Amino acid sequence: MGKKPRLGLASQMGIGMVLGILAGIAAPYFSWDAGWFKPFGQLFINLVRMVVVPLVFATLVAGAASITDIAKLGRVAVKTLLCFVVFTVLGTAIGLLMGDIFQPGAGLNIPMDNLTAKEHAAPSLGQVLMDIVPINPIDSMAKGRMLPTIFFAVLVGFCLSLCGEKTKVVTDFFNGFAEVMIRMTGIVMLYAPIGVFALMAYTVAAQGMAVLMPLMKLVILMYIGSLILMVAVYFPCLKYSGIGPMKFLKGFSEPLMTAFSTCSSAAALSSSLVCTEKMGASRSVSSFAIPLGNTINMDGTAIYMGLVTIFAAEIFGVPMPFDKQLTVVFMALLAAIGTIGVPGSGMIMITMIFSQVGIPLEAVAIVAGVDRLLDMARTTLNVTGDATAAILVSKLENDFDPARGAAMDA
């Protein structure tokens, strides 16, 4: 008799998420303290943070070192960054347009008592550029500062590529180390269903379902906007590359479920690398584009920032003419740079925009009640955008091969 098929990780996380929601709903009726769930969810987040820096560093060094043609490395970098910029600008525009058309904050009467939020100043362009270059790369990695870590990793890989055969042993080490970190991340993800269960149970038990009702229109528009970006932008890019939408969704189901249930693009990084390569993207491009996109490509967050800005402006009666909306687009690009793919980063970024366009920061506290639901959509879109860019750039570089998946499974 054949073995029963084992549930995949995506299915296990889906079950964990549903059970977590049910446990969170049941918690008040059985007098369960929401704090009981929190340590199990935080443990998962800590495990993800443990592996993400060495994973990003190793895969980026290996990816950059594998591109022996220096001109190609430059082309890949330019095309990848161009994809990220276009995706982010389109995402912000969709969010602003959805807000302008459907006016999610119009007519809402939400109590403002005891609502406070900490202000975060927007970084200057000069400061952003200076922060890219690490004074101490080891210190940057220890503190989880991803942009300087990425810069140093790409530079190391570039120099390894220049050295050629003389440093083959070092290149082989980083290739091996990247495989080790991907395997370690796979082991960490075995705990994901429990972590997802605990995170969802804690969120629902702590906040309750009642908090959703006044803001349900905002949540629905966020998911519609995400679907629009996916259908109107990602799917045509994938179709051009030779991958149909259904094939992509099936092949990329594990990273999608990981991102959706954990709200962490870092948690989905390892499986994104593997799944993107299985669908035909080259390792050299995906190892460069996906870790980089994990830090600076925030398509879902861009929709969120555009939509929530209009929502908050409507609640507080702040005019949002066209020039202010252009400011939001620019700020979305600037704020996305250097934001690590862990839960909660979107809330920090939105305070920067609110401060810039004159919206009271109390609006951040209003949105915080449903931020988890919004974060699930934006993180999923962020991860999907990274994979789409990697596949598209591989196609543009004539380095896309659907047969890679069969070779990897063999």
Side-chain angles (χ1 to χ4, degrees):
M1 294 195 48
K3 293 182 179 179
K4 292 183 178 179
R6 187 184 172 202
L7 277 177
L9 183 59
S11 300
Q12 293 177 42
M13 287 190 291
I15 293 171
M17 183 172 65
V18 172
L19 292 178
I21 293 171
L22 294 176
I25 294 172
Y29 298 99
F30 293 95
S31 300
W32 295 341
D33 185 355
W36 294 351
F37 302 109
K38 189 174 183 179
F40 298 99
Q42 189 59 46
L43 174 61
F44 178 61
I45 298 300
N46 289 351
L47 286 168
V48 169
R49 288 180 172 176
M50 175 187 74
V51 299
V52 68
V53 172
L55 175 64
V56 167
F57 184 75
T59 53
L60 267 175
V61 171
S66 67
I67 304 177
T68 54
D69 183 353
I70 305 305
K72 180 179 178 179
L73 179 59
R75 291 197 311 269
V76 168
V78 169
K79 290 174 182 176
T80 300
L81 291 172
L82 187 59
C83 283
F84 292 164
V85 169
V86 171
F87 290 171
T88 300
V89 169
L90 289 174
T92 310
I94 288 172
L96 290 168
L97 189 61
M98 295 284 288
D100 288 333
I101 293 173
F102 296 103
Q103 302 179 346
L108 278 185
N109 184 18
I110 298 176
M112 303 295 175
D113 300 335
N114 301 318
L115 291 180
T116 58
K118 183 180 178 182
E119 182 174 356
H120 296 269
S124 66
L125 183 59
Q127 187 62 46
V128 169
L129 294 175
M130 289 300 294
D131 286 345
I132 291 175
V133 181
I135 297 173
N136 184 339
I138 304 302
D139 181 64
S140 295
M141 285 186 273
K143 292 179 179 177
R145 298 176 60 225
M146 295 305 296
L147 205 57
T149 299
I150 286 172
F151 177 84
F152 183 66
V154 172
L155 193 58
V156 171
F158 174 71
C159 292
L160 285 174
S161 181
L162 286 176
C163 292
E165 287 297 318
K166 289 185 289 186
T167 55
K168 186 177 183 301
V169 63
V170 182
T171 303
D172 289 343
F173 166 78
F174 278 108
N175 281 322
F177 188 44
E179 293 293 337
V180 169
M181 291 313 305
I182 290 173
R183 181 63 60 89
M184 184 182 294
T185 307
I187 292 172
V188 167
M189 291 306 295
L190 294 176
Y191 180 72
I194 298 173
V196 168
F197 166 82
L199 288 169
M200 293 305 301
Y202 172 74
T203 301
V204 175
Q207 297 181 353
M209 299 301 288
V211 75
L212 303 179
M213 301 318 297
L215 304 176
M216 187 54 71
K217 186 176 181 181
L218 177 66
V219 174
I220 292 172
L221 288 176
M222 177 68 201
Y223 280 79
I224 293 174
S226 301
L227 187 61
I228 289 173
L229 184 64
M230 187 172 288
V231 172
V233 180
Y234 294 163
F235 286 173
C237 290
L238 293 167
K239 189 72 174 176
Y240 169 79
S241 302
I243 299 179
M246 296 310 298
K247 181 180 179 182
F248 174 80
L249 293 175
K250 182 179 180 181
F252 206 65
S253 60
E254 184 176 317
L256 289 175
M257 181 55 70
T258 302
F260 184 76
S261 57
T262 66
C263 298
S264 173
S265 52
L269 179 56
S270 175
S271 56
S272 294
L273 286 166
V274 174
C275 292
T276 305
E277 190 176 349
K278 279 188 175 182
M279 281 186 283
S282 67
R283 173 165 294 193
S284 59
V285 172
S286 59
S287 295
F288 178 85
I290 290 179
L292 182 63
N294 197 261
T295 301
I296 67 172
N297 185 40
M298 302 286 175
D299 310 336
T301 308
I303 293 178
Y304 163 82
M305 288 189 286
L307 181 61
V308 169
T309 299
I310 299 298
F311 168 80
E314 289 170 348
I315 289 178
F316 286 93
V318 178
M320 285 296 294
F322 183 69
D323 60 330
K324 273 194 175 182
Q325 297 198 27
L326 283 180
T327 300
V328 173
V329 174
F330 175 74
M331 288 293 297
L333 277 171
L334 192 61
I337 298 175
T339 305
I340 189 172
V342 296
S345 59
M347 295 298 290
I348 296 174
M349 295 163 70
I350 202 66
T351 63
M352 297 178 184
I353 291 178
F354 284 3
S355 300
Q356 188 71 23
V357 298
I359 296 174
L361 292 184
E362 287 81 1
V364 178
I366 295 173
V367 178
V370 291
D371 186 64
R372 178 77 189 187
L373 287 176
L374 298 171
D375 203 0
M376 292 165 77
R378 64 181 182 244
T379 305
T380 304
L381 209 61
N382 291 344
V383 169
T384 308
D386 298 344
T388 302
I391 291 170
L392 180 60
V393 172
S394 289
K395 177 66 174 180
L396 294 173
E397 285 294 309
N398 297 315
D399 205 8
F400 181 81
D401 182 9
R404 281 195 180 95
M408 290 175 68
D409 290 333

